[in-house]
Amino acid sequence: MTSARLESPPAAPPVFPAPPEYPVLTFTGEDRELTDRLLAPVRGVGIAWWSLFLIACAGTALFVFCMWYTVAKGIGTWGNNIPTAWAFAITDFVWWIGIGHAGTFISAFLLLLNQHWRASINRIAEAMTIFALMNAGLFPLLHLGRPWFFYWLIPYPATMGVWPNFKSALPWDIAAVTTYLTVSLLFWYVGLVPDLATARDYVRSRFGRMAYGVFALGWRGASAEWRKHHIASVLLAALATPLVVSVHSVVSLDFSIAQLPGWHSTIFPPYFVVGAIYSGFAMVLILLLPLRRAYRLEGIITTRHLDAMAKLTLTMALMLTYAYVVEAFIAWYSGDPHERFTFLSERPFGTYAVVYWLMIACNVVTPQILWFKRCRTHAGILFAAALAILTGMWLERFIIIVTSLHRDFLSSSWQGYAPTWVDLGLILGSVGFFAMLFLLFVRFVPFVGISEMKRLRHELAANGGKEVGLPHA
Amino acid sequence: MGERKSGCPMRDANWPSGAYAAEFGDEELFVAAVKELSHQGYVRVEAYSPYPVARVQSLLREPRSLLPVVVFIGGVIGAIIGYGIQWIANVVSYPLNIGGRPPHAVPAFVIPTFEATVLCAAGAAFIGLFWALHLPRPWHPMFEADDFDRVMIDRFWIAIDATDPAADRTKTPSLLNALHAERVLRVPSLQ
């Protein structure tokens, strides 16, 4: 009997997830053609790029003008008031910084999880992170009112003997955002070096060779170089992964350590992180889909990528919906009249009810179409859904900030809020600035990891098209 | 730098009297050539490819990378600096009483400490990587080889240090030719 008990029961057949439905790479050309395809914009760009670039430059000019106007005249030119002291500037800040998170999620988190499909989109996503962060950082700076004193937030031995107060969320923000930008830049550049070397050897003009040569640092593709490069990439990915979770958590603490109804909640860090990755995926799709079409990258950014991105977007949408529901439930369950007022009366039926319901339509209802395979694999539908989601996520931050501030504890201090043309110019202009940076990136930088795609191509060929490291391989 | 039994950290970093270089057009031939060279006792061999080739990396063994250790030390230093700055600022130099909270507010200090840790660890990874790779290096003997500018596109190269114990003025080039190299040439010294 004892021996019988020691025998383990017959092992159940292992249950693996189904193999991926769509191949991760359908490009059939040789390495030379792959290089040609991926470096096409480096040789020159067409009329479409130039027209988009001019529009983006106009947007950047608007951005610069509105910044100059704000600094010259003061932030009285904005719609901000007391009690609504945060409004557009912080909405824009949170929106942009959230967008960045998907880039790190794709480049770092999915690298650690050995997801092959990230290889063709991670460069674009990382560039998006860096450009989004460059935009994000400008808004709190302008919101300081006297941006030329921004360095007061940095701990340095000042002659006045004054130091920043680290019990406040502002120095946390500075630490989180500057770290995030620096680490993203380092990670991006490390990944870029081999591809810059490819560009160096690929371009024909002497100036081009020199310029790419300088940034390629003399990379020669030695096996020792590849090995160390891989180790460094994994290490940087492991360091960047906690940043995916931590940066927007820190941003959310700006809100949740305050007492305001609608802000003072422990759900904020995970809720903000989910929303950040969600909006970032939408931005990745918005950048990816036109690029895929313009440079005929259907064989490299395949249906698999669209499907995977759409599934992740839907997952994030469901988590965000859950956060919305829990937030409202806890407000009701707490019995706190101020919390109940904010969540159950002011937001759904108050001054900004239209914005609130538009947000629900964009963030909760729209992504439900992604349950259908036809929508997940259709570039046009995905693009439209991504636009809606990105708008919805901006509205969400507006709702969180403005509805909580303009109706706070003391009804005698209640006031309305309306943005001015400077507020609108700044957000429109920052989109233009982002677009300009991204277009320059597409023009001059290899926007798909060329050596990674070559490695993937040869690995797939050696394994009969099966992806190593996945359950079905 | 003295010679090491286990191989120099960068095998192509030191060629006192130049190297034999051979070009291959195909991954299979390239891997077969590296395999044959290591069979024949060549130890100072470097292989160049447009993407990492795992089979070659396992043939050209290297000492364990110190990079993880460097990153860990960077992280520890970052944590100390991060916490130290806050402690000096808010406890020693300029204690502020805000709502009666203690000046030494450990939970609040955790966040900047974490950020400083990640920042310094990532900086250490970045500097450590390029330090170990001896980059930036604007010129390298391999760049003198004709057609080496296709190595990052679709070509494979092998370089053998001319001072390799197994290297021979006549036998090495003919061996490389026998291994189906498309061209074999001599590149100058790094010095």
Side-chain angles (χ1 to χ4, degrees), chain B residues 11-179:
Chain B
R11 282 174 299 253
D12 68 353
N14 208 3
W15 290 336
S17 47
Y20 301 96
E23 181 182 16
F24 295 85
D26 167 64
E27 188 189 315
E28 290 308 316
L29 292 176
F30 168 67
V31 175
V34 174
K35 197 174 276 176
E36 183 56 30
L37 287 170
S38 60
H39 267 302
Q40 300 231 359
Y42 286 88
V43 284
R44 280 173 234 153
V45 178
E46 184 50 278
Y48 304 85
S49 54
Y51 52 88
V53 181
R55 285 178 293 169
V56 165
Q57 287 182 347
S58 58
L59 284 169
L60 304 177
R61 290 211 173 278
E62 273 190 88
R64 257 179 98 100
S65 171
L66 287 176
L67 205 55
V69 180
V70 171
V71 170
F72 179 77
I73 294 170
V76 171
I77 292 173
I80 295 168
I81 291 176
Y83 201 91
I85 285 178
Q86 297 177 84
W87 183 73
I88 289 170
N90 287 177
V91 182
V92 180
S93 186
Y94 191 61
L96 269 176
N97 187 342
I98 297 164
R101 287 171 185 84
H104 195 172
V106 180
F109 291 178
V110 166
I111 291 162
T113 307
F114 165 76
E115 302 294 347
T117 309
V118 173
L119 184 65
C120 290
F126 185 79
I127 295 168
L129 170 67
F130 289 112
W131 185 276
L133 292 181
H134 302 277
L135 295 180
R137 185 199 287 276
W139 181 81
H140 187 274
M142 284 308 284
F143 292 145
E144 298 291 315
D146 289 334
D147 217 32
F148 188 71
D149 59 0
R150 279 178 71 185
V151 75
M152 284 307 293
I153 295 170
D154 59 353
R155 289 281 144 157
F156 302 85
W157 283 79
I158 292 174
I160 303 165
D161 189 341
T163 60
D164 190 295
D168 181 90
R169 193 177 288 273
T170 51
K171 278 187 199 151
T172 302
S174 55
L175 172 64
L176 288 168
N177 276 320
L179 291 168

Side-chain angles (χ1 to χ4, degrees), chain A residues 214-381:
Chain A
V214 165
F215 286 107
L217 304 176
W219 179 273
R220 347 176 247 290
S223 118
E225 284 176 331
W226 286 121
R227 182 170 164 271
K228 295 194 169 87
H229 186 265
H230 177 71
I231 295 172
S233 301
V234 173
L235 284 169
L236 281 169
L239 289 168
T241 300
L243 292 183
V244 178
V245 203
S246 72
V247 177
H248 227 54
S249 298
V250 171
V251 170
S252 81
L253 295 179
D254 293 348
F255 296 87
S256 58
I257 66 167
Q259 308 283 315
L260 227 52
W263 289 8
H264 191 60
S265 161
T266 47
I267 201 178
F268 260 49
Y271 164 38
F272 266 48
V273 170
V274 166
I277 296 172
Y278 183 46
S279 63
F281 280 145
M283 187 57 116
V284 170
L285 283 170
I286 285 171
L287 299 172
L288 204 64
L289 295 169
L291 208 58
R292 173 180 187 253
R293 173 103 181 224
Y295 289 105
R296 307 259 174 280
L297 298 176
E298 285 86 355
I300 290 154
I301 300 165
T302 63
T303 310
R304 166 78 169 282
H305 296 86
L306 305 193
D307 188 50
M309 286 291 294
K311 281 177 179 163
L312 277 171
T313 309
L314 179 61
T315 312
M316 293 298 158
L318 295 175
M319 288 162 83
L320 192 70
T321 307
Y322 171 77
Y324 287 166
V325 171
V326 167
E327 219 187 9
F329 169 76
I330 294 295
W332 169 79
Y333 188 66
S334 71
D336 181 302
H338 300 285
E339 287 281 339
R340 280 189 172 187
F341 170 73
T342 300
F343 279 100
L344 307 176
S345 165
E346 177 52 29
R347 284 188 187 174
F349 309 112
T351 322
Y352 300 100
V354 176
V355 181
Y356 179 82
W357 290 110
L358 199 59
M359 169 196 100
I360 296 289
C362 288
N363 290 352
V364 178
V365 181
T366 309
Q368 304 308 324
I369 61 166
L370 300 177
W371 287 105
F372 303 100
K373 193 191 280 176
R374 223 185 112 68
C375 299
R376 285 202 304 271
T377 54
H378 189 287
I381 295 176

Side-chain angles (χ1 to χ4, degrees), chain A residues 133 153 170 183 185 191 193-194 218 237 252 293 377 415 463:
Chain A
L133 289 178
L153 287 161
L170 255 183
V183 174
L185 257 177
V193 167
S252 81
R293 173 103 181 224
T377 54
Q415 254 204 75
N463 293 296

